[in-house]
Amino acid sequence: GQYLARHLYKYQATPYRINIVSEALYGDELDRSVNSRAFGAVLAGSAFDGYSLSNESSIDYSLNRSSKAGVTLLLDYRDPDNSEAGYRVAVRQDYRYTRYASVGVVRRLFELNEFLDYERIDTEVDSFFEAVALTGVGNYYPVSWTRLGGKVRWQHDIDRGDDDVGFGLYTDFTFSLLTVGMEYEYGLRTVDDTGGLLDRTEQRWRISLKKTF
């Protein structure tokens, strides 16, 4: 069997908002896999008997109507009965600036977002992952139903010593019953962290269509 204890804490008082979620799980056949939120890494393994502890804490701060910032911390610890313990530590810092139209109907003109991520995963089955990434995203709204956007992301895999640099352009058109989107991404990767030339190019196109009935 399995036994779960969970504690949730929320606090909100302008301009702060705090959320803390803690869990303790004990029992048999617990899930060993670990999924990275920011990097897409998945470290899998067989189920185990033992216990796990996790905590997700975040604080958001509204500097004013246009600027918002936040920090999120994730901690995950797993201790099987018959092998070594493993853990995950993840930190995200984010910032968003929004500019609104000063005349006429109040709506967004453009929005800038910044994300800084760090994550380290060390499982009890000799699987290891550690990386840091910096992402910038910009959106421009020429009219209320159109968005033009771009993004750039740098990611460094600390364990393997290689880098990813990606660029993206996208747009979407939102009507009452139909949304059409187009996206293009271009990425480069180095061999290691010695300053070598970017040696691999990846490109991706995507067109999406969503109809509401």
Side-chain angles (χ1 to χ4, degrees):
Q2 297 181 359
Y3 305 91
L4 172 65
R6 174 180 296 168
H7 178 262
L8 174 63
Y9 173 79
K10 290 186 177 182
Y11 174 79
Q12 184 168 350
T14 305
Y16 296 97
R17 184 178 63 184
I18 299 173
N19 289 286
I20 301 175
V21 180
S22 302
E23 289 187 354
L25 182 61
Y26 175 80
D28 305 327
E29 298 294 317
L30 303 185
D31 186 12
R32 191 188 296 264
S33 62
V34 178
N35 298 317
S36 170
R37 293 187 182 181
F39 300 94
V42 178
L43 302 182
S46 58
F48 70 94
D49 299 341
Y51 71 91
S52 65
L53 304 172
S54 65
N55 176 271
E56 178 175 350
S57 301
S58 64
I59 179 171
D60 298 304
Y61 178 72
S62 298
L63 295 95
N64 49 53
R65 180 190 177 192
S66 299
S67 300
K68 299 181 184 298
V71 176
T72 300
L73 173 64
L74 294 173
L75 301 173
D76 192 356
Y77 178 81
R78 305 181 184 196
D79 192 355
D81 293 337
N82 57 359
S83 62
E84 296 182 0
Y87 66 90
R88 174 180 64 162
V89 178
V91 182
R92 160 166 281 202
Q93 174 270 323
D94 61 88
Y95 174 79
R96 182 180 69 195
Y97 174 79
T98 306
R99 182 64 179 269
Y100 297 91
S102 57
V103 295
V105 178
V106 177
R107 65 176 185 86
R108 289 178 297 180
L109 288 178
F110 66 86
E111 189 173 84
L112 301 175
N113 294 271
E114 171 267 331
F115 305 96
L116 178 61
D117 292 284
Y118 169 80
E119 189 156 3
R120 179 186 175 99
I121 303 174
D122 191 354
T123 73
E124 63 281 0
V125 290
D126 297 326
S127 295
F128 182 80
F129 174 83
E130 186 176 18
V132 60
L134 179 63
T135 306
V137 180
N139 292 305
Y140 171 60
Y141 304 88
V143 292
S144 60
W145 47 270
T146 301
R147 179 183 65 157
L148 304 174
K151 61 182 176 181
V152 59
R153 176 183 171 93
W154 166 78
Q155 175 178 325
H156 177 65
D157 190 313
I158 299 174
D159 181 42
R160 295 183 309 193
D162 57 28
D163 295 277
D164 285 313
V165 180
F167 307 88
L169 297 172
Y170 50 88
T171 182
D172 52 47
F173 307 92
T174 304
F175 306 100
S176 58
L177 298 177
L178 180 68
T179 300
V180 179
M182 294 176 287
E183 181 176 339
Y184 169 73
E185 290 189 345
Y186 179 86
L188 300 170
R189 166 172 286 186
T190 61
V191 177
D192 52 34
D193 60 354
T194 61
L197 296 176
L198 298 168
D199 71 325
R200 192 178 74 184
T201 302
E202 298 176 340
Q203 299 188 63
R204 181 171 68 92
W205 290 88
R206 184 173 66 179
I207 299 176
S208 61
L209 179 66
K210 181 179 180 181
K211 181 70 170 66
T212 302
F213 298 93

